[in-house]
Amino acid sequence: MLIKLRAPGWYRAALFDVIGFAFAFGLVVLIRTLMHEHPVLDGYAITTVALIAVPLFFLVGLGVADYWFYWAAGKRTRPEDHSAHGARTWRDYFRVNTDHKVIGIQYVVTSFFFLLIGGLLAMLMRAELAQPGMQFVTPEQYNGLFSVHASLLIFLFVIPVFAGLANFVLPLMIGAPDMAFPRLNALSFWLLPIAGLMMLASFLAPGGSFASGWTAYAPLSTSLPLGQTFFTLAVQFAGASSIATALNFLVTIITMRAPGMSFFRMPLLVWANFSTSLLVVIATPFIAASQFFVLLDRALGFQFFNAFVGAGKNGNVIMYQHVFWFYSHPAVYIMMLPGFGIISEVLAVKARKPIFGYRMMAFSLLAIVVLGFTVWAHHMFVSGMAPWIRIPMMVTTAIIAIPTGIKVFSWLATLWRGVLRLDTPMLFALGFLTMFTLGGISGVMLAMIPFDIHVSATYFIVAHIHYVLFGGSLFTIFAGVYYWFPKMTGRMFDDRLGKLHFWLTFIFFNITFGPMHLIGIQGMPRRVADYAQQFATWNLIISLASFGLGLSTLVFLYNMVASWRGGPRAAANPWRALTLEWQVSSPPPIFNFDAVPTVVGGPYEYGVPGAVHGIFKSPAEARPTGTIATSPTPE
Amino acid sequence: MEASAISHAEHHGPPPAHRSSRVEAPLLGMLLFIISEVMIFGAFFTAYFFIRVVNHNPWPAPGTTLPEAVAGVNTAILLSSSLTLHWSLVSVKSGNRFGLKAGIASTFLLGLTFLFVQINEYVHIGFAPYQSAQASIFYGLTGLHGAHVFIGLCLLLMVTIRAFRGHYSPESHRGMEVPGIYWHFVDIMWVVVYTTVYVL
Amino acid sequence: MRKHPVVQLLLIGAIGTAIGLPIALAIPWFPAQAATQAHRIDTLYHVLLIVSVPIFVGVLSVVLYSVWKFRMKPGEEGKDGPPIHGNTRLEVVWTAAPAILIVALCTYAYTVLHANEVTKPGERTVNVIGEQFAWYFTYPSSPGKSVVTQQLYLPKGQPVVFKIHSRDVIHEFFVPAFRLQLAAVPGITTTLRATPDRLGVYSVVCNQLCGNGHATMRATVHVLTPAAFQAWLAKQPVQPSPGYSFSSTGGGAPAPAPAPAPSGKAGNGSATAAAGKAIFTGSGGCGACHTLADAGTTGAVGPNLGIRLVPDAKKRGLPLAAFINESITKPNAFIAPGYPAGVMPQTFGQTLTATQIQSLVAYLASVTK
């Protein structure tokens, strides 16, 4: 038992949780005694400190930092025996693992877990909204539901699931044996469940979960009960995870590409994650800061957002929104650009054509990164900020439609005269193309200030964000999960169930979110548990459709679980793709490659006779992989 | 073809990655991390800008003063720690182990002194963060910087321990150069904080 | 019959647009138009629709046409498409055309914005004050004095400038019929202009999450003829202007801190009660959440005070006046069955003066017996 408590793992993590809580308790009591604060025992303060200390102690207990402690103490670091590399049983997925493929799957499964919870919360909201008046929940519970729904799906699903997919495929795609910092990669992952569980645990806090929306505007967020602190701190953990992963991706992409893999031979998924990681590294500190301000206001009585301290001493309320949106608008692209990458991979392979205008596709990603930092205040057209700021923000916001348009048009041109395989990943890619176009168009409409002044914070916004994040991001995630499922698990999924999943999702998605445009323009505000009678019919339709949308996820879940357990074995390259991840076995060998491959051509040379993207240098595999690419697969 | 692919699994240890850039991974990682750190300071300076400039609040808050002189001395302490750190790095490159140890230890002690002076300043400054928005951002910015000094000191402590245990050589000193970059960043950031908060 | 694919596609796109555009324009998107601003915004939206529908139909047509024409047919399992890597001319076109479109739309949107927000002669100022969870509106009469109401009354055809304030957190003053909204931000005054041009009663909505009672933070705007408006205004009691801040120090607020209510002479119960009624419907903001027949308020966030105070005081075991006092100053001490705790602001004990609370208690006790 003692050995179990000393060795890294769950037993030591549990022990360290207890120590962490005791530390927080002791620290608060000590400081409050020294400062002569009464009472010495303060539940709010202890909870706040414990929410910081317990996760950190947990991480150390689990063993993410053992190696670093050895290194820091100047001890002889144990030679890497690769025992923390690769997964042999399902238990290995619950340990600290430094293999990017294991971490990728940990990421994807964890974030889908939070997708289900977030979706379930949405179902509860729609149940309440099915009729006007209050039926199932109280107003504060309702506010908690949509706040946790949005926070989980943004911080614990869309952002990390893309990091997870890229974690798995990106090192393979660029011919790297792993990420640049495997131990940091493991830490990034383990920060995530902490953030998610913290957000969920806020439901247990006295006064209920945080209820100020995912935007947590001050001074509402500085005046709400304890649950808000859970959000403030959970965002720090999720943000730290994001930054660490992004940094890892950037260093991996810059320093670990295979020979011959110039920037303009990288698959667009790599380009997309490169751009996204730039956004994350630059923007994410702003949301960390915004939540630091709120935390300081809440916990230590700082006055950042108190407009009534006294003449000449007042805080500034609008500052929160500037800082928040300086992250959270780029976050929209953090949640979309990796999806663009996935769609480029899927469309090229499934249409059997090179990506149309590859360089423009790469440049438009960078253009979106740059422009993404210049548009944050379009979320604030009715916030009461200085009115002149609205005009440049309208123009930049509209301009961002140009690189986005280039991407959409290039994808369409990629389809043109191709040989389209209409299987599940392709259906989701095509669904994305149409739905994202709709979301993009409503986005340009929203950039037009006078129209935005009317529909800001109405259901039109709810419709817009779900068309870009559900019809946009989530469809690309589904496309990506289906596309790489054979590579990740070594099994094929059931394509018929996949198609059923697509059609159910596509139809119910449109019935759920389409009408929200209309009721939004008619003036139904978002974030309300109760609404005027005139919106009753549409809300009932939306609620019924949303239940259908929720049920369609069960088809996906069944398909994934059943196929992972007992699907037919997948060939190394079932899609006849050229990119490097398909040139190794499914699932890939533990160290990805025997020898690092050499890249000799572009990633999307479909239709070019004998085209090859990469060859393996080691003598056994020195023949072109194009022979794999054109041989029919057993399936 | 599949059989040959599966044979990868018997391989022991990963193949060495191809180096596609002359920049070393730890150095690049640290530079990117510093970009993130600059941005978090940027966010705090945004708050400072809104409270001081947009709100037209007098600076410092009415009835309070900021100890520019004490902070000025503290600035000198922190800047001299950058010099000792550089001396330490030059020493290790030329194989001077005494210079390495003395330089890194004095850097650590100077950093510690800075932090003590800063805390002492808080104790005697005569206003609390809840008294005004200016006080909040004063404590916010200097506190954020103090936290970075603390992180930097943790890194320096590691380097010091490793230096005294005989690590680092003229050929291999990345392990102290990279934390050193962070420490220089913390120093430069202090100059910006000192200028905006105390001097301007 | 054998047309070029691009011609076929254009044909499909044109037919799709011809069907889609009338449908998009025929949908009754908007609620009633009750301000000149609304007309311009609705026209802008319809222009945006006319631009957007062909774009969306075009994308949809390409996708559907590709699925129809270029899907893999049996026997094509090993076939690839032609290796087309790009077409510079096409790429220039689809970069430049949207750019031109965007410049045009932004220019148009700017002119609409300017027309909507330009200062107009003869503007009437109405102060809008938001607090958790009520709106009230003040019409300045003489310095320091205003008419304070909980429902907004406006004359038709006269431009009005709203000066919007908040006493606690951010609220958003939203009148869907005017197509206008703007945040009420603590510490600053925001300005919104509207010219009502249609008689009727429309809703005022809080459109920024402000706490548990957010969904019910509603009021109505009555657009009257100028004569009717003047008659209404003349009938309203003039009170000291309420402050815009709930701060105890108060110095930061742009207007004086809450002024004491008209002082009721000691022993003069009916005068005290009348002052209490004015606070109830005016600066106290009670009526926004509570129904009270005597005051003519219909709020539904909290219990109906006309029928619940007496039985609830018995349940609590307190004399009526003491119970009312406790419920104002410590609202969570007793929660009326069926209502959630924590909704009623707990700050009235600080924001209302002792005299004001006395008046309120006297008034409420007098009308609920």
Side-chain angles (χ1 to χ4, degrees):
Chain A
M1 191 63 199
L2 198 63
I3 291 174
K4 274 184 176 167
L5 284 178
R6 285 171 61 91
W10 285 93
Y11 291 102
R12 197 176 77 175
L15 174 70
F16 271 49
D17 277 353
V18 177
I19 300 175
F21 184 78
F23 170 80
F25 189 89
L27 189 70
V28 170
V29 169
L30 179 72
I31 292 180
R32 288 182 75 87
T33 311
L34 290 178
M35 306 273 285
H36 304 292
E37 299 268 1
H38 288 285
V40 167
L41 281 182
D42 181 276
Y44 268 45
I46 291 172
T47 312
T48 306
V49 179
L51 282 176
I52 304 168
V54 172
L56 296 179
F57 274 78
F58 166 80
L59 289 171
V60 172
L62 198 63
V64 296
D66 280 27
Y67 181 91
W68 290 325
F69 285 138
Y70 273 101
W71 184 90
K75 290 186 190 161
R76 186 193 299 275
T77 44
R78 285 166 297 182
E80 186 65 86
D81 61 355
H82 304 292
S83 60
H85 214 95
R88 284 149 202 90
T89 72
W90 61 272
R91 284 193 182 83
D92 286 338
Y93 288 100
F94 291 87
R95 296 195 177 116
V96 177
N97 202 304
T98 53
D99 184 347
H100 74 96
K101 299 184 287 301
V102 176
I103 294 173
I105 288 173
Q106 286 176 323
Y107 254 108
V108 173
V109 173
T110 309
S111 37
F112 266 98
F113 168 76
F114 288 112
L115 168 75
L116 296 181
I117 304 231
L120 217 54
L121 297 177
M123 302 289 104
L124 290 174
M125 278 150 63
R126 284 317 316 181
E128 172 59 53
L129 289 174
Q131 287 175 41
M134 304 305 293
Q135 286 89 31
F136 302 111
V137 296
T138 62
E140 64 265 41
Q141 284 169 338
Y142 182 84
N143 290 355
L145 284 178
F146 69 72
S147 303
V148 181
H149 162 79
S151 309
L152 280 182
L153 291 185
I154 288 171
F155 296 113
L156 273 303
F157 178 63
V158 180
I159 294 175
V161 79
F162 280 133
L165 284 170
N167 230 309
F168 193 98
V169 297
L170 190 142
L172 286 161
M173 271 187 167
I174 61 170
D178 205 318
M179 296 280 275
F181 307 116
R183 282 177 288 269
L184 183 67
N185 204 12
L187 173 65
S188 309
F189 165 71
W190 284 103
L191 287 168
L192 266 193
I194 291 172
L197 292 178
M198 204 180 281
M199 285 184 185
L200 286 177
S202 73
F203 278 112
L204 306 174
S209 64
F210 55 96
S212 53
W214 80 277
T215 50
Y217 273 14
L220 180 64
S221 54
T222 59
S223 59
L224 284 179
L226 186 60
Q228 188 68 36
T229 305
F230 285 68
F231 171 82
T232 302
L233 288 168
V235 167
Q236 302 294 2
F237 285 99
S241 161
S242 246
I243 295 178
T245 310
L247 201 144
N248 220 335
F249 279 139
L250 283 174
V251 176
T252 308
I253 295 169
I254 293 173
T255 66
M256 292 173 73
R257 279 168 291 127
M261 176 74 88
S262 64
F263 261 69
F264 286 106
R265 277 182 183 166
M266 293 196 311
L268 284 169
L269 182 92
V270 182
W271 265 107
N273 276 285
F274 182 78
S275 318
T276 308
S277 302
L278 280 177
L279 280 171
V280 171
V281 164
I282 299 174
T284 310
F286 265 68
I287 196 173
S290 74
Q291 298 312 312
F292 278 136
F293 299 150
V294 172
L295 184 67
L296 289 170
D297 269 23
R298 291 177 59 82
L300 298 176
F302 279 45
Q303 308 283 20
F304 285 113
F305 305 119
N306 185 349
F308 304 122
V309 189
K313 295 179 176 178
N314 288 329
N316 191 308
V317 171
I318 291 188
M319 181 268 283
Y320 176 87
Q321 297 169 40
H322 280 290
V323 173
F324 178 82
W325 287 115
F326 193 77
Y327 161 75
S328 294
H329 191 78
V332 173
Y333 301 109
I334 293 169
M335 290 184 268
M336 197 64 258
L337 297 189
F340 288 173
I342 291 172
I343 292 306
S344 298
E345 300 302 318
V346 174
L347 280 185
V349 171
K350 298 289 171 188
R352 311 304 306 166
K353 275 186 66 199
I355 280 289
F356 192 93
Y358 169 90
R359 280 189 183 235
M360 282 305 274
M361 291 295 255
F363 286 134
S364 56
L365 284 170
L366 293 181
I368 291 174
V369 170
V370 174
L371 286 169
F373 285 110
T374 63
V375 300
W376 78 92
H378 70 215
H379 296 269
M380 301 167 59
F381 284 162
V382 296
S383 72
M385 66 174 177
W388 65 267
I389 306 176
R390 298 175 301 172
I391 312 296
M393 290 292 163
M394 163 171 79
V395 177
T396 48
T397 305
I399 289 176
I400 221 167
I402 296 173
T404 316
I406 292 175
K407 298 198 76 75
V408 172
F409 297 138
S410 300
W411 286 321
L412 292 177
T414 307
L415 292 179
W416 196 250
R417 295 179 59 200
V419 185
L420 273 58
R421 267 85 171 150
L422 294 174
D423 53 5
T424 312
M426 183 62 159
L427 284 178
F428 272 104
L430 296 177
F432 157 83
L433 261 181
T434 49
M435 292 303 99
F436 179 74
T437 305
L438 242 172
I441 287 173
S442 61
V444 174
M445 288 179 170
L446 287 169
M448 301 300 141
I449 304 166
F451 179 63
D452 185 77
I453 288 177
H454 173 52
V455 294
S456 202
T458 65
Y459 260 78
F460 192 86
I461 301 292
V462 181
H464 167 71
I465 196 171
H466 284 94
Y467 266 86
V468 290
L469 281 185
F470 195 126
S473 304
L474 186 52
F475 277 30
T476 70
I477 291 163
F478 280 136
V481 167
Y482 280 114
Y483 179 71
W484 282 297
F485 185 82
K487 184 53 63 184
M488 292 175 134
T489 62
R491 305 272 185 173
M492 293 303 288
F493 56 86
D494 184 333
D495 199 45
R496 287 164 47 125
L497 281 179
K499 283 176 174 161
L500 176 69
H501 171 221
F502 169 76
W503 285 111
L504 288 176
T505 308
F506 186 80
I507 291 165
F508 283 122
F509 163 77
N510 275 296
I511 308 177
T512 304
F513 297 107
M516 289 186 183
H517 289 109
L518 179 65
I519 57 174
I521 293 182
Q522 287 179 343
M524 177 164 163
R526 66 173 177 175
R527 296 177 169 176
V528 290
D530 190 8
Y531 50 87
Q533 193 64 41
Q534 65 179 112
F535 305 119
T537 312
W538 276 121
N539 270 292
L540 183 61
I541 294 171
I542 290 170
S543 285
L544 292 176
S546 77
F547 298 140
L549 191 56
L551 289 177
S552 75
T553 315
L554 296 182
V555 180
F556 168 75
L557 270 189
Y558 171 78
N559 194 0
M560 290 296 107
V561 173
S563 304
W564 200 343
R565 288 170 60 98
R569 296 272 172 201
N573 194 357
W575 314 129
R576 300 196 299 121
L578 286 179
T579 43
L580 291 176
E581 83 271 27
W582 296 104
Q583 313 312 323
V584 295
S585 60
S586 299
I590 187 163
F591 296 119
N592 295 358
F593 309 101
D594 263 343
V596 167
T598 304
V599 174
V600 295
Y604 303 119
E605 299 296 312
Y606 301 103
V608 179
V612 171
H613 175 48
I615 55 171
F616 288 89
K617 265 200 295 193
S618 82
E621 286 134 329
R623 73 199 85 139
T625 47
T627 52
I628 299 178
T630 48
S631 63
T633 53
E635 258 75 31
Chain B
M1 198 54 65
E2 269 77 46
S4 76
I6 286 160
S7 72
H8 287 292
E10 291 147 19
H11 190 81
H12 293 289
H18 176 250
R19 285 272 302 275
S20 56
S21 164
R22 269 173 299 174
V23 188
E24 280 178 35
L27 193 65
L28 184 65
M30 179 52 82
L31 291 177
L32 289 167
F33 181 60
I34 286 176
I35 292 180
S36 255
E37 295 277 39
V38 168
M39 292 310 288
I40 203 162
F41 273 97
F44 274 73
F45 278 114
T46 309
Y48 165 87
F49 173 80
F50 271 89
I51 286 168
R52 182 168 174 182
V53 181
V54 177
N55 267 17
H56 300 295
N57 282 333
W59 187 271
T64 60
T65 51
L66 297 176
E68 290 94 349
V70 179
V73 172
N74 224 5
T75 309
I77 292 174
L78 202 58
L79 286 181
S80 55
S81 78
S82 263
L83 294 179
T84 53
L85 181 65
H86 187 68
W87 173 43
S88 172
L89 187 62
V90 171
S91 303
V92 75
K93 281 181 183 168
S94 61
N96 173 1
R97 287 212 72 81
F98 168 77
L100 163 72
K101 288 184 201 168
I104 199 75
S106 50
T107 308
F108 179 77
L109 291 175
L110 283 168
L112 209 57
T113 316
F114 173 88
L115 210 54
F116 270 114
V117 174
Q118 184 74 46
I119 290 167
N120 197 43
E121 185 184 307
Y122 285 171
V123 172
H124 296 107
I125 200 162
F127 58 84
Y130 54 79
Q131 284 169 349
S132 66
Q134 294 96 311
S136 297
I137 190 60
F138 169 82
Y139 278 95
L141 262 174
T142 54
L144 179 74
H145 184 266
H148 281 82
V149 173
F150 180 75
I151 296 168
L153 281 176
C154 291
L155 294 178
L156 284 181
L157 183 66
M158 295 177 193
V159 176
T160 312
I161 291 174
R162 284 173 64 81
F164 277 82
R165 285 194 167 212
H167 291 263
Y168 309 125
S169 65
E171 296 76 39
S172 151
H173 49 264
R174 267 291 177 255
M176 69 170 296
E177 201 170 353
V178 173
I181 294 172
Y182 187 79
W183 186 253
H184 289 307
F185 153 75
V186 170
D187 283 4
I188 294 167
M189 216 60 230
W190 174 252
V191 176
V192 180
V193 172
Y194 177 70
T195 316
T196 45
V197 171
Y198 292 87
V199 178
L200 285 181
Chain C
M1 184 61 213
R2 285 196 50 80
K3 289 182 189 126
H4 191 271
V6 177
V7 179
Q8 280 184 329
L9 178 70
L10 287 176
L11 212 63
I12 294 171
I15 294 169
T17 308
I19 298 169
L21 198 53
I23 294 175
L25 292 174
I27 294 174
W29 290 101
F30 287 98
Q33 289 176 327
T36 54
Q37 281 79 359
H39 298 273
R40 296 190 198 102
I41 289 174
D42 294 4
T43 312
L44 170 69
Y45 178 66
H46 286 121
V47 170
L48 289 171
L49 272 184
I50 291 169
V51 176
S52 305
V53 171
I55 295 175
F56 177 65
V57 171
V59 170
L60 199 60
S61 308
V62 176
V63 170
L64 293 180
Y65 185 84
S66 303
V67 167
W68 172 47
K69 275 284 178 185
F70 305 130
R71 68 187 306 166
M72 184 181 75
K73 291 158 192 85
E76 292 186 337
E77 281 80 6
K79 196 182 165 201
D80 285 354
I84 305 167
H85 286 90
N87 179 323
T88 310
R89 190 181 299 171
L90 203 54
E91 287 170 44
V92 169
V93 167
W94 69 44
T95 310
I100 294 166
L101 199 59
I102 273 161
V103 170
L105 286 178
C106 283
T107 314
Y108 174 43
Y110 177 77
T111 58
V112 171
L113 184 71
H114 183 75
N116 276 356
E117 298 192 341
V118 71
T119 313
K120 295 173 188 74
E123 279 176 346
R124 168 183 291 280
T125 300
V126 177
N127 291 301
V128 178
I129 304 174
E131 72 173 49
Q132 288 171 329
F133 301 99
W135 291 110
Y136 41 105
F137 308 98
T138 76
Y139 301 76
S141 48
S142 55
K145 301 265 181 183
S146 309
V147 166
V148 182
T149 69
Q150 295 213 314
Q151 309 301 330
L152 180 59
Y153 288 83
L154 296 173
K156 182 189 163 189
Q158 187 185 5
V160 54
V161 51
F162 297 106
K163 300 279 182 192
I164 306 169
H165 313 268
S166 166
R167 285 177 154 186
D168 35 45
V169 299
I170 302 174
H171 303 278
E172 208 144 281
F173 174 67
F174 179 29
V175 186
F178 293 174
R179 315 281 187 271
L180 294 174
Q181 62 180 312
L182 192 59
V185 184
I188 62 173
T189 306
T190 54
T191 306
L192 185 68
R193 292 190 157 79
T195 312
D197 66 349
R198 184 169 179 269
L199 299 179
V201 181
Y202 312 100
S203 55
V204 174
V205 178
C206 175
N207 205 15
Q208 179 64 259
L209 179 64
C210 59
N212 294 337
H214 166 60
T216 43
M217 184 169 166
R218 301 285 167 86
T220 45
V221 48
H222 305 254
V223 180
L224 308 175
T225 59
F229 174 78
Q230 286 306 338
W232 169 83
L233 192 63
K235 272 197 305 189
Q236 301 305 310
V238 173
Q239 330 177 359
S241 303
Y244 303 140
S245 104
F246 266 4
S247 136
S248 45
T249 51
S263 56
K265 290 183 196 76
N268 189 341
S270 69
T272 315
K277 184 175 182 175
I279 299 165
F280 190 89
T281 54
S283 61
C286 316
C289 296
H290 292 285
T291 295
L292 183 60
D294 183 75
T297 63
T298 54
V301 178
N304 180 335
L305 298 179
I307 56 174
R308 292 294 289 273
L309 278 179
V310 177
D312 283 349
K314 284 205 184 91
K315 268 188 209 145
R316 176 76 174 141
L318 284 174
L320 184 60
F323 174 68
I324 296 172
N325 193 318
E326 178 192 78
S327 297
I328 295 172
T329 52
K330 297 189 201 91
N332 287 341
F334 177 84
I335 296 298
Y339 289 87
V343 172
M344 179 157 160
Q346 295 167 49
T347 48
F348 287 122
Q350 292 93 57
T351 56
L352 297 173
T353 63
T355 331
Q356 282 178 314
I357 292 174
Q358 258 176 16
S359 314
L360 263 178
V361 172
Y363 168 65
L364 285 170
S366 73
V367 295
T368 51
K369 266 168 193 162

